[in-house]
Amino acid sequence: MMMVLAACGSGNGNNLPETSTPPPPPPGNEANETNGGENGEAGAGESTLEKAREQGYINVGFANENPYAYQEADGTLTGEAVEIARVILTNLGIEEMRGELTEFGGLIGGLQAGRFDMITAGMFINPNRCAEVAFANPEYSIGEALAVKTGNPLGLNSYEDIANSDAKVAVMTGAIEIEYLEKMGVADEQIVVVPDQNAAVSALQADRVDAMAMTGPALQSRLDAAGDDNLERVADFEQPVIDGESVRGYGASAFRQADTEFVEAFNEELEKMKESGQLLEILQEFGFTEEELPGDMTAAELCG
C-alpha cells in the first residue's frame, strides 16, 4: 500500500537501476535521439505519433511498480497503465511497446531527454508535473477506503464519522492513513496500529476494531483474499480533505508537451474504452473497482 502511494503520488522507493529491458532499436531508427521537436516533431517534419506508426513500435518508460506498470518474471511488461496503453496504441496502429525500466523519479527526465516517447506508469497528475509533461486524461482515480462489518452497524462513512464515535480503526504501521486519521480528529486511542494489511483484516474479523483503513485497491485486494461475507467495503465512503485538499489522486500516461497530436489521439481512444466498459474490465484485472474509475475528470482540470 505504501508503495502504491509513493510510486504514483510523490516519489520512487524502488532503488532500481536505470536499465533498458528490450533490445535497442535497429540502426537508422534511433527515434529517441531525435524526438521532441516543435509540434511533436520526431525528425524532419514527422510527429512522434507518425514515427511510431511507421516503425511499428514505441518506447515507453515504466518504474516496475505493481499494479501500475511492472515486469513479470519472464520479462513481460504489464500493469493497468501498460494494458490500457497497449489497447490504445494498437488502435492507433502501433503494435509493439518496448519498455524502458527507470526509477520513478527519472521518468519525466527520461521522457524529456528522448529516452522514451511516453510514460506508462500510472503517474498522478498534479500542476507541478503538468509544467513538465503533457498528460492524457486520467485512466483511474485512487483514494482512501474503509472496510467494516457487513451492514456497517456503526454507520461509518468517513474518517470524520470515526472521530465522532468511539469506533476503533486498524491501520498498518507506517501508513499514511495514520496521519490522515489524526488530522481528521481521530484520537490516538482509537487508532490500532497493526504490522501489515492482513493483520488489519484479522483485527476486524476478531472484533478488536470496528473498521480498517487503506487505499482503495489495497483494501479491495485484502477483502477479495479474505472472502469473508461478514466484511464489506463502505460503498459511499467520503474522501478526507487534508489541509484543504482531497487525498484522491488521478493517474494517467504522460507525453512530451510538444506531442499534442499524440495526446489528443490517445484521449479519443481512452474515451471509447470508458464508454464500452473496457477500461473498467482492465482495471478490475489489477485489483481496481468501479470506485476507482476517473469519472469525467480531465487532465486540463487537474492541471489547472
Side-chain angles (χ1 to χ4, degrees):
M1 173 183 66
M2 293 307 293
M3 175 192 70
V4 167
L5 288 173
C8 295
S10 56
N12 173 34
N14 283 321
N15 295 319
L16 294 172
E18 294 190 16
T19 179
S20 176
T21 55
N29 281 327
E30 292 86 354
N32 282 346
E33 298 301 321
T34 56
N35 284 353
E38 289 187 20
N39 301 318
E41 290 179 350
E46 193 171 32
S47 72
T48 301
L49 178 57
E50 290 170 339
K51 181 79 172 179
R53 282 171 167 160
E54 178 184 314
Q55 64 192 13
Y57 70 85
I58 189 168
N59 296 302
V60 300
F62 74 104
N64 215 38
E65 296 169 304
N66 189 338
Y68 304 98
Y70 59 96
Q71 195 173 50
E72 295 184 312
D74 63 359
T76 302
L77 181 60
T78 189
E80 64 80 21
V82 171
E83 298 305 331
I84 291 167
R86 199 187 305 279
V87 171
I88 291 174
L89 293 172
T90 298
N91 291 343
L92 292 176
I94 305 165
E95 296 296 330
E96 182 184 357
M97 296 173 67
R98 296 185 176 182
E100 182 82 9
L101 176 61
T102 305
E103 290 187 358
F104 190 86
L107 285 170
I108 289 177
L111 177 67
Q112 293 173 329
R115 283 182 53 199
F116 33 84
D117 300 306
M118 62 181 289
I119 295 170
T120 56
M123 181 178 283
F124 274 10
I125 303 172
N126 65 44
N128 289 336
R129 289 172 178 161
C130 293
E132 300 183 275
V133 300
F135 280 103
N137 287 332
E139 57 209 28
Y140 75 88
S141 66
I142 188 173
E144 293 298 294
L146 199 67
V148 295
K149 285 297 182 70
T150 299
N152 197 2
L154 297 183
L156 303 176
N157 295 299
S158 67
Y159 288 166
E160 190 173 18
D161 286 342
I162 297 175
N164 293 330
S165 71
D166 294 325
K168 291 188 176 182
V169 56
V171 185
M172 185 178 70
T173 183
I176 191 66
E177 282 77 20
I178 297 174
E179 178 183 340
Y180 291 165
L181 287 161
E182 290 174 343
K183 287 191 173 183
M184 294 300 293
V186 178
D188 289 344
E189 57 269 23
Q190 291 179 271
I191 301 173
V192 178
V193 179
V194 294
D196 55 39
Q197 295 169 345
N198 290 332
V201 175
S202 297
L204 183 55
Q205 289 172 322
D207 292 324
R208 290 192 289 114
V209 297
D210 304 292
M212 66 177 187
M214 301 177 196
T215 58
L219 182 136
Q220 190 62 47
S221 71
R222 293 306 85 211
L223 290 179
D224 291 344
D228 189 340
D229 292 337
N230 293 315
L231 307 181
E232 69 177 23
R233 179 174 178 172
V234 175
D236 298 319
F237 179 74
E238 183 180 333
Q239 292 297 318
V241 176
I242 306 297
D243 298 328
E245 298 287 340
S246 171
V247 300
R248 179 170 286 279
Y250 292 80
S253 292
F255 304 79
R256 282 184 287 272
Q257 289 186 330
D259 285 329
T260 54
E261 175 196 20
F262 205 165
V263 174
E264 290 172 2
F266 194 95
N267 280 341
E268 287 179 9
E269 294 299 326
L270 179 62
E271 189 61 31
K272 292 176 185 177
M273 292 180 70
K274 287 182 184 178
E275 293 173 356
S276 69
Q278 189 176 17
L279 178 63
L280 178 58
E281 289 176 6
I282 293 176
L283 289 173
Q284 287 175 329
E285 291 177 18
F286 296 93
F288 294 75
T289 70
E290 197 167 354
E291 295 289 327
E292 278 78 52
L293 283 172
D296 296 326
M297 184 63 70
T298 66
E301 291 177 79
L302 292 164
C303 289

